[in-house]
Amino acid sequence: MIWNEAKECMSRDELETLQSARLVKMVNRVYHNVEPYRKKMQALGLEPGDIRGLEDLYKLPFTTYEDLNANYPFGMAAVPPSELVRVHASSGTTGKPKIGVYTRHDIDIWAECVARCLSTAHITRDDVIQIGYGYGLFTGGLGAHYGAEYLGAMVIPMSTGNTKKLIDMMIDCGVTSIACTPSYLLHVAEDLEKLGLVDKIKLKSAICGAEPWTNEMRDQMEQRLHIKAYDIYGLTEICGPGVACDCDFHKGLHIWEDHFLPEVINPVTLEHLPAGSEGELVITNLTKEGMPLIRYRTKDLTHLEYGKCECGRTMARIQRFKGRSDDMLIIRGVNVFPSQVEAALLTVEGTTPHYMMVVDRIDNNDTLEVQVEVAENVFTDEIKSLEALSKAVHDRLKAAIGLNAKVKLVEPNGLEHFDGKSKHVIDKRKLYE
Ligand code: DLL
């Protein structure tokens, strides 16, 4: 089903004309309202008049997390605070969180983009949808919620953390669709099977995202739950979920190009790459008012395919992600940087900077073990004091990254020490195909 045919199926000529006009307007707006952009453009000798359309996009400077961090929280907002109605956030490296801010109009556009995604998954006002993404600072819960309500579906705002209740309500309320992370859906499938309740559910579709997943995971959920599963992509800084999603033909995720202008660059040389080349996805907000980003480096590695899809949509398709150009991990849907773990460990007396994060997926649940060497003077056979240290590390990690990690204290020199670039992550999951 196509939510907004006039936009989603525009001819490329028509779309590029719209993108050009929006880009010119956007560059003007940020130049005059956002000091960091003005300074960056001035440093390159650029004035708004130099950007006359899409063909001039590549003259513009990139925006990175470091820019957001340096101007945290609202230094890159393009409107006065009184016009902002919402803030969302997700983890940055050791710096400040990555935030997204929204005007009322931004919230409406976001709902429209999510509604397009849900429609692509054939969700209508007759559906009952459970939102199993976290509500709060994370964009998943409220983003999916507003989109589903806008579309007219009946929304059950489950959030995360209570699978039993989710299953009870799924059956009691005749839930027909669910939006949650793919690993969580597989976990729900397992519980449903254990309880012998798969036949009792009315689920038809799932809209999964916020973390990478594979075709094999899709096959599993489709077969075990007798549903159709769709992929949804987005990031806090650009708007949240709803930047792109895949359709029945699963030939990539349609990115709503009338709002988000995509390109792919070489993450090392930063040169713009021709369509179809593998590299880092860069997105320019074309309509965001609150904190529009110009040429934002997502760090997600992929390639784009253009050309009309069999579903009728003309918008470019983001192909399966190949990884990230930075070291961000997504564990149970939570973005985690090793540098955050390192910074947390440094604050616990008795530990050393030698640590290893071991990430795995057991029964469709991500697990994180943090192995850390304890200092020579602390290493003791006294179980009580080691237990206390282990708890201190656990609690500090929980506060820093929001996850319960299994902590393994290791004797001095028990972990490998590196001469060159040290390695701090062993990821045993097979996330990218
Ligand atoms: O994960 C927004 C979202 C919520 C998307 C719910 C989809 C569903 P952040 O927490 O800022 O935002 O994390 C953004 O997550 O740069 C990707 O690396 C990764 N990611 C998001 N969706 C997908 C996906 C939300 N479908 C970061 N496939 C992004 C692969 C994804 N990776």
Side-chain angles (χ1 to χ4, degrees), residues 90 133 138-139 210-212 231-232 234 236 300 321 324 330 335:
S90 79
Y133 292 116
F138 179 53
T139 51
E211 64 185 11
D231 196 355
I232 182 166
T236 312
D300 290 316
F321 293 100
R324 291 189 46 95
I330 308 181
N335 300 353

Side-chain angles (χ1 to χ4, degrees), residues 162-400:
N162 194 339
T163 310
K164 184 179 177 314
K165 187 163 254 167
L166 180 135
I167 289 177
D168 287 348
M169 291 200 74
M170 187 180 271
I171 294 169
D172 297 346
C173 303
V175 167
T176 53
S177 186
I178 183 166
C180 63
T181 61
S183 50
Y184 184 63
L185 186 60
L186 283 170
H187 179 72
V188 171
E190 216 150 84
D191 280 9
L192 281 165
E193 284 164 354
K194 271 191 215 143
L195 296 165
L197 292 174
V198 177
D199 290 344
K200 297 273 180 295
I201 60 170
K202 295 214 172 98
L203 209 60
K204 289 185 304 192
S205 63
I207 299 89
C208 295
E211 64 185 11
W213 52 304
T214 57
N215 283 331
E216 200 233 313
M217 289 172 75
R218 188 200 304 275
D219 291 345
Q220 269 204 40
M221 28 177 110
E222 294 196 339
Q223 283 161 20
R224 291 166 70 177
L225 295 173
H226 317 296
I227 58 165
K228 292 267 173 227
Y230 299 85
D231 196 355
I232 182 166
Y233 168 78
L235 59 163
T236 312
E237 309 89 296
I238 290 294
C239 93
V243 170
C245 70
D246 72 348
C247 64
D248 289 330
F249 296 92
H250 301 310
K251 295 209 169 136
L253 288 81
H254 292 280
I255 173 161
W256 309 127
E257 283 189 88
D258 48 334
H259 297 291
F260 315 107
L261 178 60
E263 53 176 314
V264 169
I265 62 160
N266 176 324
V268 180
T269 63
L270 304 188
E271 68 182 315
H272 168 84
L273 298 174
S277 315
E278 197 74 46
E280 180 181 329
L281 180 66
V282 168
I283 301 178
T284 297
N285 279 117
L286 290 177
T287 50
K288 190 130 189 242
E289 292 178 343
M291 196 186 287
L293 299 183
I294 304 288
R295 302 195 83 194
Y296 183 68
R297 293 188 55 187
T298 66
K299 309 282 171 147
D300 290 316
L301 301 175
T302 181
H303 69 277
L304 293 172
E305 273 182 18
Y306 289 83
K308 192 169 172 175
C309 178
E310 287 155 81
C311 69
R313 293 179 182 81
T314 48
M315 306 253 157
R317 278 161 288 137
I318 300 174
Q319 300 303 303
R320 274 270 188 219
F321 293 100
K322 290 282 160 57
R324 291 189 46 95
S325 65
D326 63 9
D327 52 3
M328 185 177 93
L329 296 157
I330 308 181
I331 304 173
R332 277 176 242 146
V334 178
N335 300 353
V336 179
F337 288 90
S339 50
Q340 288 176 295
V341 169
E342 186 165 326
L345 292 175
L346 281 172
T347 63
V348 185
E349 207 175 325
T351 63
T352 70
H354 301 296
Y355 70 98
M356 183 62 84
M357 298 165 65
V358 184
V359 190
D360 206 348
R361 184 164 281 174
I362 296 165
D363 295 336
N364 297 308
N365 242 331
D366 289 341
T367 59
L368 168 65
E369 178 178 280
V370 176
Q371 305 171 344
V372 58
E373 278 185 25
V374 297
E376 200 90 48
N377 58 340
V378 186
F379 196 67
T380 147
D381 286 336
E382 212 186 300
I383 296 202
K384 242 190 187 154
S385 56
L386 285 178
E387 270 175 1
L389 182 58
S390 171
K391 182 169 182 325
V393 172
H394 170 275
D395 293 352
R396 207 59 64 84
L397 286 172
K398 170 89 185 173

